[in-house]
Amino acid sequence: MDALEEQVFYHKSADGRVRVESGTLGLAVDYRFDREFREPYEKTKDRRYLCRKPCFSDADYLASNRTEVARKVESLKVLKPQVYDCNDENSLTRWEAPFDFCFSEHCLAAFRTWLKTQYADLAALNAEWGTDFASWEKVVPDLTDEAKARAKRTGVRGYAAWADHRRFMELTYMNFFADVKAEVERHDP
């Protein structure tokens, strides 16, 4: 699936001239979310279905996305769009569908690196999370159901691993769009 779809909106001004309103660098909506991720995960509880495709921590995907954004901006900038838009109602999952994304090898590696900036050391993380990971490479956050169960057993701290992962994914999602914005501005300041 193409990660980006191209849309151009035209507007006819009062003097009869046509001008470009915006060039949209929209993330293509993937309506296969339930079929490819949610339903298989609910049936199997296999974490491989918790790997977002495309993964916003995958360096290869990010590089190809920059190339695609550059290509689209170069083709649209001659029309002098007033705005470039990354589509409407974007979501890490699919709008109203909360889901524990992303547990890909790329996201988990980036998550562990990020955690090292949030905690003094592994012992501090283990104390906060109520875990006993022996190394950073073994750190894996709780899923929503696991966090609820841990909270029931241990109290408020039960949500720390889940909340850290959710915060990291929000930052990852935000950084993806910052990357798109920077690429747009690089080609059409």
Side-chain angles (χ1 to χ4, degrees), residues 34-137:
D34 285 330
R35 185 179 69 240
E36 292 184 11
F37 298 107
R38 181 182 288 282
E39 291 168 6
Y41 176 74
E42 291 301 322
K43 284 181 188 171
T44 66
K45 300 298 185 195
D46 185 334
R47 286 187 184 218
R48 73 184 162 131
Y49 295 111
L50 302 179
C51 298
R52 190 182 190 290
K53 295 173 187 167
C55 172
F56 293 140
S57 294
D58 179 349
D60 290 340
Y61 168 70
L62 295 174
S64 70
N65 189 64
R66 279 185 214 102
T67 300
E68 186 66 11
V69 168
R71 184 189 69 75
K72 290 182 184 274
V73 170
E74 288 297 328
S75 70
L76 291 170
K77 76 179 184 180
V78 298
L79 302 171
K80 304 204 182 311
Q82 293 178 353
V83 66
Y84 289 94
D85 178 45
C86 286
N87 216 336
D88 181 42
E89 298 181 29
N90 291 315
S91 169
L92 186 61
T93 58
R94 190 179 59 116
W95 307 301
E96 79 292 345
F99 203 59
D100 289 314
F101 272 144
C102 175
F103 283 78
S104 74
E105 63 183 284
H106 309 291
C107 269
L108 286 177
F111 177 59
R112 292 172 186 131
T113 299
W114 178 77
L115 286 171
K116 291 175 186 177
T117 70
Q118 304 300 301
Y119 291 93
D121 54 28
L122 186 58
L125 176 130
N126 279 326
E128 182 66 23
W129 285 19
T131 54
D132 60 353
F133 294 111
S135 71
W136 285 105
E137 293 72 31

Side-chain angles (χ1 to χ4, degrees), residues 131-149:
T131 54
D132 60 353
F133 294 111
S135 71
W136 285 105
E137 293 72 31
K138 301 289 184 189
V139 172
V140 177
D142 287 340
L143 303 176
T144 303
D145 291 339
E146 293 167 343
K148 287 178 182 178

Side-chain angles (χ1 to χ4, degrees), residues 156-174:
V156 176
R157 271 198 199 155
Y159 288 99
W162 176 87
D164 280 348
H165 185 249
R166 185 56 55 116
R167 176 69 178 139
F168 168 77
M169 289 311 305
E170 289 169 353
L171 292 169
T172 299
Y173 194 56
M174 178 191 73

